[in-house]
Short mmCIF file of all heavy atoms in Angstrom, two decimals:
data_model
loop_
_atom_site.label_atom_id
_atom_site.label_comp_id
_atom_site.label_asym_id
_atom_site.label_seq_id
_atom_site.Cartn_x
_atom_site.Cartn_y
_atom_site.Cartn_z
N VAL A 118 18.40 34.74 -9.60
CA VAL A 118 19.66 35.17 -9.00
C VAL A 118 20.67 35.51 -10.10
O VAL A 118 21.85 35.68 -9.84
CB VAL A 118 20.21 34.09 -8.05
CG1 VAL A 118 20.81 32.91 -8.81
CG2 VAL A 118 21.18 34.66 -7.02
N THR A 119 20.18 35.66 -11.34
CA THR A 119 21.08 35.88 -12.48
C THR A 119 20.80 37.18 -13.24
O THR A 119 21.42 37.42 -14.27
CB THR A 119 21.01 34.68 -13.45
OG1 THR A 119 19.65 34.44 -13.83
CG2 THR A 119 21.58 33.44 -12.80
N GLY A 120 19.94 38.01 -12.75
CA GLY A 120 19.68 39.30 -13.36
C GLY A 120 19.00 40.21 -12.36
O GLY A 120 18.36 39.74 -11.42
N VAL A 121 19.17 41.52 -12.55
CA VAL A 121 18.61 42.48 -11.59
C VAL A 121 17.82 43.54 -12.35
O VAL A 121 18.08 43.83 -13.52
CB VAL A 121 19.70 43.15 -10.74
CG1 VAL A 121 20.40 42.12 -9.88
CG2 VAL A 121 20.72 43.87 -11.62
N GLY A 122 16.87 44.13 -11.64
CA GLY A 122 16.09 45.21 -12.23
C GLY A 122 15.11 45.77 -11.22
O GLY A 122 14.67 45.08 -10.30
N ALA A 123 14.79 47.02 -11.35
CA ALA A 123 13.77 47.67 -10.54
C ALA A 123 13.03 48.66 -11.44
O ALA A 123 13.64 49.65 -11.85
CB ALA A 123 14.38 48.39 -9.34
N PRO A 124 11.79 48.40 -11.83
CA PRO A 124 10.96 47.30 -11.33
C PRO A 124 11.50 45.94 -11.74
O PRO A 124 12.16 45.81 -12.77
CB PRO A 124 9.59 47.57 -11.94
CG PRO A 124 9.89 48.35 -13.19
CD PRO A 124 11.07 49.21 -12.85
N SER A 125 11.20 44.94 -10.93
CA SER A 125 11.64 43.58 -11.22
C SER A 125 10.84 43.02 -12.38
O SER A 125 9.78 43.52 -12.75
CB SER A 125 11.50 42.71 -9.97
OG SER A 125 10.23 42.85 -9.39
N LEU A 126 11.37 41.94 -12.95
CA LEU A 126 10.80 41.38 -14.17
C LEU A 126 9.33 41.00 -14.02
O LEU A 126 8.56 41.05 -14.98
CB LEU A 126 11.64 40.17 -14.58
CG LEU A 126 11.37 39.49 -15.91
CD1 LEU A 126 12.67 38.92 -16.47
CD2 LEU A 126 10.36 38.35 -15.75
N ASP A 127 8.91 40.65 -12.82
CA ASP A 127 7.52 40.23 -12.62
C ASP A 127 6.52 41.35 -12.88
O ASP A 127 5.37 41.08 -13.21
CB ASP A 127 7.33 39.67 -11.22
CG ASP A 127 7.83 40.61 -10.15
OD1 ASP A 127 9.06 40.81 -10.06
OD2 ASP A 127 7.00 41.15 -9.39
N ALA A 128 6.94 42.60 -12.71
CA ALA A 128 6.02 43.71 -13.00
C ALA A 128 5.64 43.72 -14.48
O ALA A 128 4.46 43.89 -14.83
CB ALA A 128 6.66 45.03 -12.60
N ALA A 129 6.62 43.52 -15.35
CA ALA A 129 6.32 43.43 -16.78
C ALA A 129 5.54 42.16 -17.10
O ALA A 129 4.71 42.14 -18.00
CB ALA A 129 7.61 43.48 -17.59
N LEU A 130 5.81 41.09 -16.34
CA LEU A 130 5.10 39.83 -16.57
C LEU A 130 3.61 39.96 -16.29
O LEU A 130 2.79 39.35 -16.99
CB LEU A 130 5.71 38.75 -15.69
CG LEU A 130 5.24 37.32 -15.91
CD1 LEU A 130 5.61 36.83 -17.30
CD2 LEU A 130 5.83 36.41 -14.83
N VAL A 131 3.25 40.74 -15.29
CA VAL A 131 1.83 40.97 -14.98
C VAL A 131 1.12 41.52 -16.21
O VAL A 131 0.04 41.06 -16.59
CB VAL A 131 1.69 41.92 -13.78
CG1 VAL A 131 0.25 42.39 -13.63
CG2 VAL A 131 2.17 41.24 -12.51
N VAL A 132 1.73 42.51 -16.84
CA VAL A 132 1.12 43.12 -18.02
C VAL A 132 1.12 42.16 -19.20
O VAL A 132 0.12 41.98 -19.89
CB VAL A 132 1.86 44.42 -18.39
CG1 VAL A 132 1.28 45.04 -19.65
CG2 VAL A 132 1.80 45.42 -17.23
N ARG A 133 2.26 41.49 -19.43
CA ARG A 133 2.41 40.60 -20.57
C ARG A 133 1.41 39.44 -20.52
O ARG A 133 0.89 39.01 -21.56
CB ARG A 133 3.85 40.07 -20.60
CG ARG A 133 4.19 39.17 -21.78
CD ARG A 133 4.49 39.94 -23.05
NE ARG A 133 5.75 40.66 -23.00
CZ ARG A 133 6.92 40.15 -23.38
NH1 ARG A 133 7.01 38.89 -23.79
NH2 ARG A 133 8.01 40.90 -23.36
N CYS A 134 1.14 38.93 -19.34
CA CYS A 134 0.29 37.75 -19.21
C CYS A 134 -1.16 38.08 -18.83
O CYS A 134 -1.99 37.18 -18.75
CB CYS A 134 0.86 36.79 -18.17
SG CYS A 134 2.39 35.99 -18.70
N GLY A 135 -1.45 39.33 -18.58
CA GLY A 135 -2.82 39.71 -18.30
C GLY A 135 -3.27 39.44 -16.88
O GLY A 135 -4.48 39.24 -16.65
N LEU A 136 -2.34 39.42 -15.92
CA LEU A 136 -2.75 39.28 -14.53
C LEU A 136 -3.40 40.58 -14.05
O LEU A 136 -3.19 41.65 -14.64
CB LEU A 136 -1.54 38.96 -13.64
CG LEU A 136 -1.13 37.49 -13.53
CD1 LEU A 136 -0.70 36.92 -14.86
CD2 LEU A 136 0.00 37.33 -12.50
N ARG A 137 -4.17 40.49 -12.98
CA ARG A 137 -4.85 41.67 -12.46
C ARG A 137 -3.83 42.71 -11.97
O ARG A 137 -2.80 42.33 -11.39
CB ARG A 137 -5.75 41.32 -11.27
CG ARG A 137 -6.84 40.32 -11.55
CD ARG A 137 -7.88 40.32 -10.42
NE ARG A 137 -7.29 40.31 -9.09
CZ ARG A 137 -7.06 39.20 -8.38
NH1 ARG A 137 -7.32 38.02 -8.89
NH2 ARG A 137 -6.56 39.28 -7.17
N PRO A 138 -4.10 43.98 -12.16
CA PRO A 138 -3.20 45.00 -11.59
C PRO A 138 -3.12 44.95 -10.08
O PRO A 138 -2.17 45.46 -9.48
CB PRO A 138 -3.82 46.32 -12.07
CG PRO A 138 -4.65 45.96 -13.25
CD PRO A 138 -5.16 44.57 -13.00
N THR A 139 -4.10 44.30 -9.43
CA THR A 139 -4.14 44.21 -7.97
C THR A 139 -3.48 42.94 -7.45
O THR A 139 -3.52 42.68 -6.23
CB THR A 139 -5.59 44.26 -7.46
OG1 THR A 139 -6.35 43.22 -8.11
CG2 THR A 139 -6.21 45.62 -7.76
N VAL A 140 -2.85 42.15 -8.32
CA VAL A 140 -2.19 40.93 -7.86
C VAL A 140 -1.08 41.29 -6.88
O VAL A 140 -0.38 42.29 -7.04
CB VAL A 140 -1.64 40.12 -9.06
CG1 VAL A 140 -0.50 40.86 -9.76
CG2 VAL A 140 -1.18 38.73 -8.62
N LYS A 141 -0.93 40.48 -5.84
CA LYS A 141 0.14 40.71 -4.86
C LYS A 141 1.43 40.13 -5.43
O LYS A 141 1.47 38.96 -5.80
CB LYS A 141 -0.21 40.07 -3.53
CG LYS A 141 -1.49 40.59 -2.91
CD LYS A 141 -1.78 39.85 -1.61
CE LYS A 141 -3.10 40.31 -1.01
NZ LYS A 141 -4.27 39.82 -1.78
N ARG A 142 2.51 40.93 -5.46
CA ARG A 142 3.79 40.49 -6.03
C ARG A 142 4.85 40.46 -4.94
O ARG A 142 4.89 41.32 -4.07
CB ARG A 142 4.26 41.45 -7.13
CG ARG A 142 3.37 41.51 -8.35
CD ARG A 142 4.01 42.38 -9.44
NE ARG A 142 4.19 43.76 -9.01
CZ ARG A 142 5.37 44.38 -8.87
NH1 ARG A 142 6.50 43.72 -9.10
NH2 ARG A 142 5.43 45.64 -8.49
N LEU A 143 5.74 39.45 -5.05
CA LEU A 143 6.87 39.37 -4.13
C LEU A 143 8.09 38.88 -4.91
O LEU A 143 8.27 37.68 -5.09
CB LEU A 143 6.57 38.40 -2.98
CG LEU A 143 7.65 38.29 -1.91
CD1 LEU A 143 7.90 39.65 -1.24
CD2 LEU A 143 7.28 37.25 -0.87
N PRO A 144 8.93 39.80 -5.42
CA PRO A 144 10.16 39.39 -6.08
C PRO A 144 11.22 38.97 -5.06
O PRO A 144 11.30 39.55 -3.97
CB PRO A 144 10.58 40.64 -6.85
CG PRO A 144 9.97 41.77 -6.11
CD PRO A 144 8.72 41.26 -5.47
N SER A 145 12.02 37.97 -5.43
CA SER A 145 13.05 37.43 -4.53
C SER A 145 14.37 37.33 -5.28
O SER A 145 14.41 36.90 -6.42
CB SER A 145 12.64 36.03 -4.04
OG SER A 145 13.71 35.36 -3.43
N PHE A 146 15.46 37.72 -4.62
CA PHE A 146 16.80 37.60 -5.17
C PHE A 146 17.74 37.16 -4.07
O PHE A 146 17.68 37.67 -2.96
CB PHE A 146 17.28 38.93 -5.74
CG PHE A 146 18.65 38.87 -6.39
CD1 PHE A 146 18.78 38.67 -7.75
CD2 PHE A 146 19.80 39.00 -5.63
CE1 PHE A 146 20.03 38.60 -8.36
CE2 PHE A 146 21.06 38.92 -6.21
CZ PHE A 146 21.17 38.72 -7.58
N GLY A 147 18.63 36.19 -4.36
CA GLY A 147 19.68 35.86 -3.42
C GLY A 147 19.63 34.45 -2.85
O GLY A 147 20.61 34.00 -2.27
N LEU A 148 18.51 33.75 -3.01
CA LEU A 148 18.43 32.38 -2.51
C LEU A 148 19.08 31.38 -3.45
O LEU A 148 19.29 30.23 -3.09
CB LEU A 148 16.97 31.98 -2.26
CG LEU A 148 16.32 32.58 -1.02
CD1 LEU A 148 14.83 32.32 -1.03
CD2 LEU A 148 16.95 32.01 0.24
N GLY A 149 19.39 31.80 -4.67
CA GLY A 149 20.10 30.94 -5.60
C GLY A 149 19.35 29.66 -5.90
O GLY A 149 18.13 29.64 -6.06
N CYS A 150 20.09 28.55 -5.95
CA CYS A 150 19.49 27.26 -6.32
C CYS A 150 18.40 26.84 -5.35
O CYS A 150 17.52 26.05 -5.71
CB CYS A 150 20.57 26.18 -6.37
SG CYS A 150 21.87 26.48 -7.60
N ALA A 151 18.44 27.32 -4.11
CA ALA A 151 17.44 26.94 -3.11
C ALA A 151 16.09 27.61 -3.34
O ALA A 151 15.08 27.19 -2.75
CB ALA A 151 17.94 27.30 -1.72
N ALA A 152 16.04 28.61 -4.20
CA ALA A 152 14.82 29.43 -4.31
C ALA A 152 13.65 28.69 -4.94
O ALA A 152 12.50 29.06 -4.71
CB ALA A 152 15.11 30.70 -5.09
N GLY A 153 13.91 27.64 -5.73
CA GLY A 153 12.79 26.88 -6.27
C GLY A 153 12.00 26.21 -5.17
O GLY A 153 10.76 26.29 -5.11
#
Side-chain angles (χ1 to χ4, degrees):
V118 75
T119 54
V121 296
S125 49
L126 187 148
D127 52 292
L130 188 63
V131 168
V132 178
R133 183 81 71 90
C134 291
L136 275 63
R137 301 194 314 266
T139 55
V140 67
K141 300 178 183 72
R142 296 186 298 116
L143 183 61
S145 167
F146 182 94
L148 285 170
C150 299

